[in-house]
Amino acid sequence: MATTLRPAAPAVPRRTRGRRGGRSPYPGWFYLPAAVVYGVLFLVPTVASFYFALTRWTIFTSEFIGVDNFVQFFQEPALTKGFVNTFVYAAITSGAKVVLGLALGMLLTSQILGRGYLRAVVFFPVLVSTVGVGITFQVLMNPSKGAINAALGVIGIHGPGWLVDPSLALLSVALVDVWKGVGLATLIYMAGIVSIPKEYYEAARVDGAGSWTLFRNVIFPLSWPATSTVVTLSLIGGLRSFDLIWSMTRGGPGFTSDVIASVIYKQYQAGFYGLSTAGNVILFVAVIAIVLPLTRFLARKEVEL
Amino acid sequence: MSSTVTPPTPTGGQLAGASSRPPASAAAPAAGRVGGPRAALYRYGVGTLAIVVSVVVFLVPFGFILLTAAMDATQASEFRFAWPRHFQLWDNVVQVLQTRDYILVIAFINSVVLTLASVTALVVLGSMVAFVLQRRVSRWTGLINFLVLTGLIMPPAIVPTIWVLQRLGLFATMPGLILVEVAFGLSFTILLFRAFISTIPRELDEAAVLDGAGPLRLFFRVVLPLLRPVMVTVILVQSVAVFNDFQNPLYFLPGDAGATVQLTLFNFQSQNLSSYNLLFTDILLITVPMLVLYLFFNRQIVAGLTSGAVKG
C-alpha cells in the first residue's frame, strides 16, 4: 500500500533524509487526508474571505466594491456596537473566569468538606448544551416572573430587568457565560495548583508565611501556566462567542447585546454576504491582534516568575 | 457548626492526577497555617458554606429544569421554582417526542450520526497527522505546527465556507456538516494526540520496522492500540463539543430534515412559547446523555480538558 501511494508524498525530504535507504516509517502522505479536509473547508474559506469581504456578494455573483463594507461596518451604530461589545464581553468573561477559577481552584484543592461533590457540581455545566443553558436562564432571568427576581424580592431587593434592560443585557449574558464556563477554569487551576511541589509550601511555612503571603508568593506565581491557559482559552472563546448570546437575547434589546459573531449571522440572514464576511475578517483581525501579543506576554511573564 | 456535619469523609484524589497528599500538609493552600481547631473550622465551616452556595448557584437551575419538565403547561408558564401540581414528566416526554411527527427523535438520530461520524474521522485523521508530526522532523513540520495553531485560534470564515460547500454540492447535507466539524476540530485533536505520542518510545517503531511492518501496519497495528487512553479522552471531549454544537448546524445544515437536537431546541423555543413544560422536557432530554457520560467518564474528560494547564 505504501508503495502504491508513494507519489503523493513529498519525495524530496525523504530522499535527503535517507533514513533506512529512503523508506521512512513515517510517510508524508499520512498528512494528506487531514490536509485535504482542513485545507478545503478551513484554509480556502479563510483566504477567500479576504477577497469576498471587499465585494457586494450574492451567492451567485460578486462585485468588487473596495472597502465599502468595512466603512459601513464602522459607520452604522448597530454594527459598531457589536464590535465594541465583543471586547467588553470577552474581557468580562475571561477576567471573571480567572478570578473565580483561581479562588475555586484553591478552595477545591484544599481539605474541605464535600470536595468531590463540589468539584462535580462546578464542572458539570461545562458539558451541558449552551442553548439549553441559555433558554433556562432566559426564563430564570425573566424580570417580572423569573425565579431570580422572585428570590431577590424575598430579601427585599427589587431585581433588575436582566435581559430586557439595554444597559444590562450584555452583562447578564456574560454572567451566564461565566456560570457555564467557570468549571473549566477551575479544573485548569486545580491541575496547576496540584502540580506545585509540596516543598514550596513547607519552605513558606518554615519562613512563617501567612495565607496571603503564601498566595502572593507561592500559589499565584507557580500556577501561572494555568492562568495563561485560562486567559487564552476564555479570550478565544469569548471573542467568537455566539451560541449563548443568540439563544438568550438574539443581540437584543435592539442591538445592545450584539457581538461580531451575531452581526455576522444577522447580515448573513439578511443576504448581505459581503458585509457578513467583512465582519468575519474584522473578527480574525481582532482575535489575532489580541491573542498573539497576549500569549507572548504571558509566556514572557512565565519565564520571569 | 462542626457539630452538624458527618464524620470526615475520605477525600482522595478525585481529579485525574491529583495525588492525595498527607494530611499534615494538605490544608496548606487556602487554610494557611495548620492548627488543629482552625483547620477543622476551615474544613467544616468553609466546606458547609461552599456546599450551601453551590446548591443555590448550580443545583437550583438544574432543579428548575427538572421540575418545570414535570409540570403541566399552565403551571410551567408561571416560571416558578415549585413542586409540580400534577407530576407528569412521563407524559411530557411522550408528548415532546411526538411533536411535529417525531422531529425530536429524528433530530436525536441526526445528532448521533453527526457525532459518531465526525469523531471517528477526527480520531483517525488527527492521530495520523500527530504521529508523523511528532516522529519526523522535516521542512514541513514548522508549517504544519503553524497551521495547527491557526486552526485553534482563528474563528472560521462562515459565508465563504458555505460558498465552498455549495461548490462541492455539500451545502445543507449531513456529509458536508460532518466534514466541517472535522475541519474545525482537527487542531485540538492533533495537539492532544501529539502530546501523548511523545511518551511512546521510538524503539517500539524501530522494532516493528525490523519485523517488516510497513507504515500502515506500524501505525494501525502497533501504535494506535497504545493510544487508547488519549483516544478515550479525544472521543469524549469531541463528542461533547459536536453534540452540543449549535453554530455550525445552524449555518451549514439548515432545514428540518437534517436538524440536530440543538437546532430543534432552538426552533422549539421560537415557535412554541406557550408550552414551557415541553421546552424544558426537551432541555432535560438533551442534558441526560451528557450527565451519563460525565458519571462514567469524568476522569478522562477532566484529563483531556486540563492537558494544557501544566505545560502551558
Side-chain angles (χ1 to χ4, degrees), chain B residues 167-223:
Chain B
R167 283 293 176 89
L168 297 172
L170 289 171
F171 179 59
T173 65
M174 183 55 85
L177 181 59
I178 291 169
L179 290 173
V180 166
E181 296 284 3
V182 172
F184 295 173
L186 263 173
S187 289
F188 188 53
T189 308
I190 291 171
L191 287 180
L192 282 176
F193 272 119
R194 195 183 60 179
F196 191 87
I197 289 172
S198 65
T199 65
I200 295 176
R202 269 167 179 276
E203 287 74 25
L204 206 75
D205 306 359
E206 280 153 23
V209 171
L210 283 181
D211 285 348
L216 279 175
R217 269 245 316 266
L218 166 65
F219 180 67
F220 285 101
R221 304 294 285 279
V222 180
V223 176

Side-chain angles (χ1 to χ4, degrees), chain A residues 29-225:
Chain A
W29 67 263
F30 267 39
Y31 292 136
L32 203 62
V36 169
V37 176
Y38 182 82
V40 171
L41 291 176
F42 186 81
L43 290 182
V44 168
T46 301
V47 173
S49 68
F50 286 91
Y51 169 71
F52 285 120
L54 302 173
T55 64
R56 186 176 294 124
W57 186 21
T58 69
I59 212 65
F60 303 108
T61 60
S62 61
E63 179 198 343
F64 190 83
I65 54 167
V67 293
D68 284 9
N69 287 326
F70 293 94
V71 172
Q72 192 184 351
F73 202 99
F74 288 106
Q75 270 176 354
E76 268 185 43
L79 305 182
T80 318
K81 182 78 178 168
F83 180 75
V84 176
N85 277 350
T86 305
F87 298 101
V88 174
Y89 186 88
I92 292 175
T93 50
S94 33
K97 282 175 192 173
V98 166
V99 174
L100 288 173
L102 179 56
L104 283 170
M106 279 162 54
L107 186 71
L108 298 184
T109 47
S110 68
Q111 295 292 307
I112 61 162
L113 190 72
R115 196 168 65 163
Y117 151 81
L118 286 169
R119 286 175 177 182
V121 89
V122 169
F123 179 68
F124 184 61
V126 173
L127 301 179
V128 177
S129 145
T130 311
V131 181
V133 168
I135 294 172
T136 306
F137 273 91
Q138 199 188 31
V139 169
L140 288 172
M141 285 177 162
N142 185 293
S144 53
K145 306 194 286 179
I148 293 179
N149 279 0
L152 289 176
V154 170
I155 53 172
I157 300 172
H158 184 72
W162 304 102
L163 297 169
V164 293
D165 182 340
S167 61
L168 214 61
L170 188 75
L171 286 181
S172 304
V173 181
L175 191 71
V176 178
D177 190 318
V178 173
W179 179 87
K180 184 172 167 15
V182 76
L184 184 56
T186 305
L187 212 63
I188 292 171
Y189 269 115
M190 277 162 62
I193 291 171
V194 164
S195 71
I196 298 174
K198 279 202 302 281
E199 291 74 31
Y200 289 99
Y201 294 117
E202 279 151 21
R205 202 171 310 119
V206 169
D207 289 348
S211 307
W212 171 249
T213 324
L214 193 69
F215 169 76
R216 181 68 196 80
N217 294 317
V218 178
I219 298 173
F220 186 66
L222 289 175
S223 60
W224 189 258

